[in-house]
Amino acid sequence: DAGVIQSPRHEVTEMGQEVTLRCKPISGHNSLFWYRQTMMRGLELLIYFNNNVPIDDSGMPEDRFSAKMPNASFSTLKIQPSEPRDSAVYFCASSLGSGGSTDTQYFGPGTRLTVL
Amino acid sequence: AQSVSQHNHHVILSEAASLELGCNYSYGGTVNLFWYVQYPGQHLQLLLKYFSGDPLVKGIKGFEAEFIKSKFSFNLRKPSVQWSDTAEYFCAVNPFGNQGGKLIFGQGTELSVKP
C-alpha cells in the first residue's frame, strides 16, 4: 500500500510568489494533518481535517496560509504571498479514525520549501 | 506555557551502549503519548505509543518507554543501540483526551551512533 504522498518534494520560490503543496492521504483514512518543521520551532501542527472538514486551524500562522480538502483523497496547503520565513519542511499526515487522541498518524515524506 | 520538553538535543553513543532519551510534558489530565523516529532522509514513523494500562510500553526495533505520571515523563529506552538507530527522535503528546487528534511535539533529539 502506498503511504501518504506529498508533492512536490522540494520547492524553491521567490518571495511574493504563491506556493501550493499537495497531499494524498492513505486510502480509507478519515483525518488529515498538516505540520511544519523548522529548526527554531520544531514540529508544529498547522491544521487538521476530519472527513474533509477543518477541525482545528489554530496553528495556521496567518492569513497568508490556507488549506483545503475538497475530497477524501486530496488536500492542499497554499501560501500566498510566500515569505523567506516560510522556509521549512511541511509534512502531511493521515489517520484512520476520526482524528481522536488515540489514532496513529502516518506521515508523508514532506515538502522542503525554500523561499528566497 | 504548556509544552513538551526533550532534554537532549544531540546524543552521541557507541554501538551497544544503552540509550535513554528524556521527555517531559506539562499538561494535566488525561494524555496520550507517542514516540516517533525520523531516519535520515525519511519521514516520521511511529516507534511506540501509550494510551492506558501498563506504563511500560514496548515498541518496534527493541525500543521501550515508561510513562511515569507523577513525573509527567515518558522516557524512551533501548538497552543496546545499533548504528542503524542513528536518527532524530520526537516525543509527542496529545493532551486533549478524546477531544481530537492534535499532537504537540517536542523539539526532537538527534541520536548519532558510532560504529
Side-chain angles (χ1 to χ4, degrees), chain A residues 48 58 99 101-102 104-105 107-108, chain B residues 32 36 43 49 51 97 100-102:
Chain A
Y48 85 91
S58 59
S101 59
T102 59
T104 296
Q105 295 180 24
F107 283 76
Chain B
N32 296 313
Y36 280 85
H43 56 275
K49 58 187 177 184
F51 300 150
K102 185 171 182 173

Side-chain angles (χ1 to χ4, degrees), chain A residues 21-116:
Chain A
L21 311 181
R22 296 172 177 79
C23 175
K24 177 178 169 54
I26 293 172
S27 178
H29 280 195
N30 299 316
S31 296
L32 183 141
F33 305 79
W34 281 102
Y35 291 88
R36 178 172 66 175
Q37 185 181 36
T38 62
M39 289 292 291
M40 291 296 295
R41 299 174 67 89
L43 263 167
E44 306 171 278
L45 178 69
L46 300 178
I47 184 170
Y48 85 91
F49 296 83
N50 178 242
N51 291 326
N52 313 336
V53 175
I55 302 300
D56 184 344
D57 65 355
S58 59
M60 295 287 264
E62 48 196 279
D63 291 347
R64 298 184 297 106
F65 285 70
S66 62
K68 293 182 180 179
M69 192 165 186
N71 57 61
S73 58
F74 183 64
S75 176
T76 59
L77 178 67
K78 186 177 292 186
I79 309 173
Q80 166 63 20
S82 58
E83 297 182 4
R85 61 192 167 117
D86 302 329
S87 297
V89 181
Y90 291 81
F91 288 101
C92 179
S94 69
S95 69
L96 181 60
S98 59
S101 59
T102 59
D103 290 346
T104 296
Q105 295 180 24
Y106 296 85
F107 283 76
T111 295
R112 182 175 296 277
L113 173 65
T114 302
V115 183
L116 303 173

Side-chain angles (χ1 to χ4, degrees), chain B residues 80-97:
Chain B
S80 176
V81 295
Q82 301 172 312
W83 177 79
S84 58
D85 294 324
T86 294
E88 189 156 16
Y89 293 81
F90 294 90
C91 179
V93 175
N94 183 309
F96 301 105

Side-chain angles (χ1 to χ4, degrees), chain B residues 53-97:
Chain B
D54 188 345
L56 184 62
V57 181
K58 295 195 184 299
I60 61 171
K61 304 187 181 187
F63 285 91
E64 64 180 31
E66 185 174 13
F67 170 53
I68 303 179
K69 188 174 182 179
S70 61
K71 294 185 178 180
F72 297 87
S73 71
F74 189 55
N75 292 355
L76 181 71
R77 300 196 292 248
K78 186 170 183 178
S80 176
V81 295
Q82 301 172 312
W83 177 79
S84 58
D85 294 324
T86 294
E88 189 156 16
Y89 293 81
F90 294 90
C91 179
V93 175
N94 183 309
F96 301 105

